[in-house]
């Protein structure tokens, strides 16, 4: 995979007040009586998710209040690590930021103070819930490994891309289930599939961002690019070239994501009811997949970036509400 591997694309939140952001106690649940510093830190996390991960921000509003603080902390942590390579001009500086966040995880679990709002909320969450340090470390280490790869390195197989998607997206769902005290192997399996699907589709949506910044296509596996006649090898280096066959390659990656969503839904009847809201990110993944289909898998179609994953924010929220009410994902 290529350097500067930012996975998330920003969804621009609408300015109207449909999300009830002004009601702090609604978001904070049991943290309403906490200290002012923690409330400020949590507000920072909520705003970061709203600004940079809007489709998941709306999903989190359907969680029980007692689970929201943890969920917002995990999503905010993901944003900080996903943005690390994008907010700097020197890749070495970005890598240092990622290594700093890896160190933050160790400090949080050692109950050491870190002066950063996301770290402060994570510390509070870890003190209140049994959260696996492994998942946080795995998430940031995946970003570090991605940043450490050669500039022109691309994944050889779709399995490599799936592993990266699980490390950066499924882990968020695993930890949210833990924060809710939900112990279910079936729910974990569904979370794995939804995270993989979400990660793959977000990488596809982000391809124009990477091409404009790096001048190349980093997240199409070499095996798929070769099948589509897009792979060039020169001097021991593999590269995916731009071409009319690119939508075919995008389709192949998206089809793997589609299979993961189908597998997750096949498990739905056995998933505990309390886990269903955690798995709601299956909805934005399906929305993005449907939008890609409508645009014939042309990731450079600007309509994919309109609203929320290519549909109006209102229609997206209606879909979330429908799935939430019907206990589906």
């Amino acid at each position: 995979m290529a350097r500067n591997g930012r996975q998330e694309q920003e969804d621009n939140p609408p300015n109207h007040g449909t999300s009830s952001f002004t009601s702090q106690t609604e978001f904070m649940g049991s943290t309403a009586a906490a200290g002012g510093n923690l409330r400020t830190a949590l507000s920072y996390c909520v705003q970061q998710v709203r600004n940079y991960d809007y489709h998941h921000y709306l999903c989190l509003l359907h969680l029980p209040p007692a689970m929201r603080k943890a969920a917002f902390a995990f999503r905010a942590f993901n944003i900080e690590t996903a943005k690390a390579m994008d907010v700097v001009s020197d890749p070495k500086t970005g890598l240092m930021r990622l290594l700093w966040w890896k160190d933050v995880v160790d400090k949080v679990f050692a109950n050491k103070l870190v002066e950063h709002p996301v770290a402060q909320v994570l510390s509070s969450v870890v003190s209140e819930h049994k959260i696996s340090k492994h998942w946080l470390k795995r998430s940031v280490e995946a970003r570090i490994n991605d940043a450490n790869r050669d500039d022109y390195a691309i994944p050889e197989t779709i399995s490599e891309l799936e592993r990266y998607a699980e490390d950066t997206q499924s882990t968020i769902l695993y930890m949210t289930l833990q924060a809710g005290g939900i112990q279910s192997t079936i729910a974990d399996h569904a979370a794995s599939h939804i995270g993989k699907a979400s990660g793959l589709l977000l990488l596809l949506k982000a391809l124009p961002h990477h091409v404009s910044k790096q001048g190349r296509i980093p997240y199409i596996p070499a095996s798929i690019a070769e099948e589509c006649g897009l792979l060039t090898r020169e001097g021991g280096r593999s590269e995916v070239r731009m071409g009319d066959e690119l939508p075919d390659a995008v389709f192949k990656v998206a089809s793997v994501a589609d299979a993961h969503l189908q597998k997750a839904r096949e498990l739905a009847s056995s998933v505990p009811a309390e886990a269903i809201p955690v798995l709601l990110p299956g909805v934005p993944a399906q929305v993005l997949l449907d939008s890609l289909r409508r645009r014939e898998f042309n990731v450079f179609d600007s309509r994919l970036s309109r609203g929320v994953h290519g549909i109006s924010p209102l229609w997206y929220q209606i879909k979330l509400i429908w799935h939430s009410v019907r206990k589906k994902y």
Side-chain angles (χ1 to χ4, degrees), residues 45 102 161 175 269 329:
C45 291
K102 183 180 178 181
L161 214 56
M175 291 186 291
S269 61
Y329 54 79

Side-chain angles (χ1 to χ4, degrees), residues 49 53-63 67 71 75 168-174 176-177 187 190-202 257 260-261 264-265 275-289 308-309 316 319-320 323-324 328-329:
V49 179
D53 196 3
Y54 189 62
H55 54 282
H56 284 134
Y57 165 83
L58 292 175
C59 288
L60 299 193
L61 302 187
H62 292 274
L63 288 173
M67 295 176 65
R75 288 286 172 191
T168 55
Q169 292 295 317
S170 301
T171 51
I172 300 173
L173 302 180
Y174 299 155
T176 307
L177 288 169
S192 174
H193 287 302
I194 290 172
K196 287 176 182 177
S198 298
L200 291 174
L201 292 166
L202 288 169
H260 281 297
L261 288 175
R265 293 194 181 108
I276 297 295
V278 178
L279 303 176
L280 204 57
V283 176
Q286 186 66 55
V287 167
L288 180 51
L289 179 61
V308 181
H309 287 342
Y316 175 73
K319 283 179 174 288
L320 282 181
H323 281 81
S324 180
K328 294 181 179 293
Y329 54 79

Side-chain angles (χ1 to χ4, degrees), residues 22-251:
T22 54
S23 178
Q24 279 193 331
T25 55
E26 179 184 350
F27 289 98
M28 296 183 185
S30 63
T31 69
N37 287 342
L38 183 59
R39 285 198 296 271
T40 300
L42 180 55
S43 294
Y44 172 87
C45 291
V46 171
Q47 195 62 50
Q48 286 292 96
V49 179
R50 187 176 193 269
N51 288 343
Y52 294 101
D53 196 3
Y54 189 62
H55 54 282
H56 284 134
Y57 165 83
L58 292 175
C59 288
L60 299 193
L61 302 187
H62 292 274
L63 288 173
M67 295 176 65
R68 291 179 194 167
K69 181 174 76 172
F72 275 113
F74 302 145
R75 288 286 172 191
F77 177 82
N78 181 60
I79 289 167
E80 295 291 343
T81 56
K83 288 173 56 185
M85 299 298 292
D86 265 5
V87 297
V88 295
S89 56
D90 182 1
K92 291 182 180 178
T93 304
L95 182 57
M96 288 176 62
R97 291 172 67 95
L98 286 170
L99 292 170
W100 183 82
W101 277 109
K102 183 180 178 181
D103 187 51
V104 165
V105 174
D106 290 327
K107 290 181 177 178
V108 163
F109 279 85
N111 200 27
K112 295 181 180 178
L113 178 65
V114 180
E115 292 293 343
H116 189 286
V118 174
Q120 290 170 10
V121 181
L122 279 175
S123 294
S124 176
V125 170
V126 167
S127 71
E128 295 170 1
H129 305 282
K130 190 176 180 180
I131 304 299
S132 173
K133 178 181 177 181
H134 169 71
W135 297 129
L136 274 177
K137 290 292 285 287
R138 185 171 162 182
S139 172
V140 70
E141 284 172 356
R143 305 280 189 192
I144 291 169
N145 292 337
D146 190 38
N148 270 325
R149 292 181 187 270
D150 181 78
D151 279 347
Y152 287 88
I154 59 174
E156 283 296 320
T157 65
I158 190 65
S159 295
E160 287 183 47
L161 214 56
E162 288 175 286
R163 187 161 52 251
Y164 181 73
E166 180 177 23
D167 288 347
T168 55
Q169 292 295 317
S170 301
T171 51
I172 300 173
L173 302 180
Y174 299 155
M175 291 186 291
T176 307
L177 288 169
Q178 287 183 328
I182 302 167
Q183 296 181 337
S184 165
T185 302
I186 299 296
D188 288 342
H189 283 317
S192 174
H193 287 302
I194 290 172
K196 287 176 182 177
S198 298
L200 291 174
L201 292 166
L202 288 169
L203 285 170
L204 292 176
K205 187 185 179 187
L207 284 178
H209 165 80
H210 293 299
V211 171
S212 66
K213 185 168 183 177
Q214 304 169 41
R216 51 195 157 73
I217 302 172
Y219 291 114
I220 297 294
S223 57
I224 288 178
E226 192 166 30
E227 287 177 23
C228 299
L230 292 169
L231 188 68
T232 61
R233 298 186 188 272
E234 186 176 344
R237 176 184 296 167
S238 299
E239 189 170 351
V240 181
R241 64 175 180 83
M242 295 289 290
D244 294 338
E245 301 87 354
L246 183 58
D248 295 334
V250 171
F251 167 76

